[in-house]
């Protein structure tokens, strides 16, 4: 949540949306953050801040997921898991684990690129959450990673490797350096971040699961161990469940801070900023003596103007802003560039028109973590019967409202949904006439991610009074996907058939945040 420059206090979360598994670094006076992007494209978001509180999205490091064929369809819980961001030898580096393929890295001379194509550092099933460390004192390099039991049959342990200083390959088969099964009460140890400090190798790693877990710290004089452990952040008597998995960063004045996520159901994994210091026993102390803070003194950094990752979009030239991601690798022809404003999407013919969860051509952005109102104008252009387009709230269950061309050629307002276990959608409200093939669509998202859909099919786009918004259907409770929070989506599609099925044009996409904050 952005803070005014003259406010001495900030409030968590500082990123109130699904910026999952964050990692952070400082280069000079600039802070950079990346996060998991799973199967969405482009991947590996890149955020920038000067004060650790106000963040903007400046780009992505991964233009397409590879192998391209495997990500031609949605794979919501695959792809980019828990990346680590580092700056070494004048270049930015990001390592991540694809649970089905292995450890990848990309690198670039500047945060905005150009980024290299993904390089497979180590192939293998279940290799996740890698983090490199270049040890300048010796010229050596190391890498630590966790394991996904769903692919490897192994979990709750961290494996260390020597790495080639070029970051291109690992130099050994690896050794288990922390075995969570040998630590009483520890389970689901993962997400390690590797550092050097005060003569120690440090691993900051979460355990206990995303909703109820804690943040651990491990230290050893030698990279391969043995390691001591300590819990350094946990919920205690606060309302911040499962506070863990993130990165440590130091400001130019020497202050230490820790950014981590909190799992919040349909909102995904929102990002908190915690003060950090080194205790008398030389272990890190995070938050308020190991408990997360909700409000705290701002970092000792130059004040910045309030900022947050962009959400609104006029789609200048037909191009979506950086905040948008496709649900799979995009194909030519899904969106048309032109000289005016507005997103012109092709009504892509598909045999999966009955279920938006199966479609690769859904353009998405993160659901805000606070109550808000989402609106967009839609025009369904000439097309075939069955062509449709709309605004969706997507997860394991979904609901969408939009326009559809009927068998007689007229356009009607439709509102449909699908439950988690349903294999196809059904009407959430009866279809209604949409004269002129236009509508303004709205979703009011309240506490608990409860969504109320409404529409206005009046001709207000031509300066008329319009008929006002009318409610549609029952309240819909947004749901997450397996590792992903709910998403807002824009989609255009048509049933299978021959020839061009028409286009849909979206304009004036807006999100208005309400003052009342969502339930904690």
């Amino acid at each position: 949540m952005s803070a005014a420059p003259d406010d001495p206090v900030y409030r968590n979360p500082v990123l109130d949306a699904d910026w999952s598994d964050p990692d952070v670094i400082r280069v000079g006076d600039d802070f950079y953050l990346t996060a998991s992007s799973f199967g969405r494209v482009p991947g590996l978001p890149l955020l920038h801040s000067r004060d650790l509180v106000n963040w903007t999205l400046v780009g992505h490091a991964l233009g397409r997921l590879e192998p391209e064929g495997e990500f031609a369809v949605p794979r919501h819980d695959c792809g980019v898991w828990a990346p680590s961001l580092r700056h070494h030898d004048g270049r930015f580096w990001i390592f991540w684990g694809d649970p089905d393929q292995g450890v990848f890295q990309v690198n670039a001379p500047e945060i905005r690129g150009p980024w290299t194509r993904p390089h497979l550092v180590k192939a293998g099933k279940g290799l996740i959450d890698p983090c490199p460390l270049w040890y300048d004192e010796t010229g050596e390099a190391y890498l630590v990673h966790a394991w996904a039991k769903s692919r490897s049959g192994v979990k709750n342990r961290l494996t260390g490797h020597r790495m080639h200083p070029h970051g291109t390959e690992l130099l050994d088969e690896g050794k288990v350096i922390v075995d969570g099964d040998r630590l009483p009460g520890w389970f689901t140890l993962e997400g390690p971040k590797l550092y050097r400090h005060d003569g120690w190798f440090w691993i900051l790693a979460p355990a206990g699961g995303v909703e109820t877990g804690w943040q651990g710290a491990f230290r050893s004089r030698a990279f391969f161990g043995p390691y001591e452990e300590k819990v350094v952040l946990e919920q205690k008597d606060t309302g911040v469940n499962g506070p863990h998995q993130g990165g440590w960063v130091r400001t130019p004045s020497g202050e230490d801070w820790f950014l981590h996520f909190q799992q919040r159901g349909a909102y995904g994994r929102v990002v908190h900023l915690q003060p950090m210091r080194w205790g008398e026993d030389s272990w890190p102390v995070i938050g308020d003596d190991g408990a997360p803070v909700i409000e705290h003194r701002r970092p000792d950094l130059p004040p910045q103007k309030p900022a947050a990752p962009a959400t609104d979009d006029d789609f200048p030239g037909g191009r979506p802003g950086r905040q948008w991601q496709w649900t799979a690798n995009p194909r030519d022809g899904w969106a048309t560039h032109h000289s005016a404003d507005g997103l012109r999407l092709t009504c892509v013919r598909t045999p999966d028109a009955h279920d938006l969860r199966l479609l690769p051509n859904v353009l998405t952005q993160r659901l805000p973590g606070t109550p808000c109102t989402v609106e967009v104008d839609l025009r369904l252009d000439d097309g075939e019967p069955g062509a449709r387009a709309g605004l969706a709230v997507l997860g394991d269950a979904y609901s969408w409202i939009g326009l559809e061309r009927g068998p007689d050629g007229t356009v009607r307002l439709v509102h449909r949904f699908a439950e988690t276990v349903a294999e196809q959608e059904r009407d959430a409200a009866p279809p209604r006439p949409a004269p002129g093939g236009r509508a303004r669509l709205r979703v009011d998202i309240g506490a608990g991610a409860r969504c109320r859909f409404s529409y206005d099919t009046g001709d207000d786009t031509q300066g008329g009074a319009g008929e006002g918004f009318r409610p549609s259907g029952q309240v819909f409770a947004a749901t997450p996907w397996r590792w992903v929070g709910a998403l807002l989506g824009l989609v255009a599609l048509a049933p299978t058939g021959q020839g061009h099925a028409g286009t849909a044009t979206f304009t004036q996409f807006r999100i208005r945040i309400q003052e009342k904050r969502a339930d904690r």
Side-chain angles (χ1 to χ4, degrees), residues 479-492:
T479 63
W481 270 315
R482 186 174 182 187
W483 307 122
V484 182
L487 298 168
L488 300 171
L490 302 178
V491 63

Side-chain angles (χ1 to χ4, degrees), residues 170-433:
L170 303 182
L171 302 180
D172 56 35
E173 291 302 312
K175 174 186 175 183
V176 176
I177 56 177
V178 180
D179 186 347
D181 290 345
R182 296 180 177 272
L183 305 177
W186 287 68
F187 61 96
T188 317
L189 177 63
E190 56 189 353
K193 295 294 182 282
L194 181 60
Y195 307 93
R196 279 285 296 178
H197 173 67
D198 196 27
W200 298 85
F201 287 90
W202 289 90
I203 299 174
L204 301 182
V210 295
E211 293 186 353
T212 59
W214 59 90
Q215 180 66 37
F218 301 82
R219 69 180 184 184
S220 174
R221 293 295 186 184
F223 171 70
F224 287 103
Y227 281 84
E228 309 170 66
E229 83 281 350
K230 185 175 183 180
V231 174
V232 293
L233 181 70
E234 56 187 326
Q235 180 172 354
K236 296 190 177 180
D237 60 355
T238 75
V240 182
N241 60 292
H244 62 35
Q245 188 155 340
W248 161 43
V249 68
R250 175 166 285 177
T251 69
S253 66
E255 286 186 346
D256 294 306
W257 296 86
F258 184 73
L259 284 143
H260 68 91
F261 78 70
Q262 174 199 8
Q263 172 67 38
R264 292 192 55 229
Y267 301 114
R269 301 174 182 181
V270 304
V271 178
H272 291 238
L273 175 67
Q274 301 295 337
M276 176 173 156
R277 60 182 175 85
W278 296 90
E280 294 181 359
D281 58 0
S282 298
W283 286 88
V285 180
I286 300 177
D288 181 9
D289 196 24
V293 301
I294 294 298
E295 292 186 343
H296 194 269
R297 173 189 58 81
R298 293 167 61 104
D300 181 20
L301 293 164
Q304 304 295 314
K305 293 181 180 179
T311 56
D312 295 354
D313 206 346
D314 288 320
F315 310 104
R319 293 170 172 83
R322 295 188 182 103
Q323 65 267 36
W324 297 97
Q325 296 171 291
W326 298 99
T327 48
N329 281 329
R331 302 172 200 168
D332 291 340
W334 285 358
T336 303
H337 296 169
H338 51 85
S339 60
D341 289 352
L343 178 69
R344 189 176 299 161
L345 295 183
T346 299
C347 294
V348 176
R349 291 193 181 276
T350 173
D352 297 319
H354 60 283
D355 192 338
L356 301 190
R357 294 165 294 197
L358 304 178
L359 302 184
N361 58 305
V362 184
L363 196 60
T364 68
Q365 67 167 282
R366 293 161 178 82
L367 185 75
T370 58
C372 64
T373 297
V374 182
E375 291 186 7
V376 67
D377 282 327
L378 170 63
R379 184 183 74 240
L380 188 62
D381 300 318
D382 290 341
E384 297 293 316
R388 68 202 73 158
L391 169 66
V393 178
L394 291 158
D396 281 334
Y398 73 85
S399 186
W400 71 279
I401 191 168
L403 300 175
E404 180 180 64
R405 190 170 298 278
D408 61 354
T410 62
V411 178
R412 55 187 183 173
L413 189 291
V414 295
H415 181 191
R416 298 191 175 122
F417 77 103
E419 300 166 272
T420 301
V421 296
E423 296 183 357
Q424 63 181 27
E425 64 187 26
R426 57 194 179 99
D427 286 335
R432 302 170 176 88

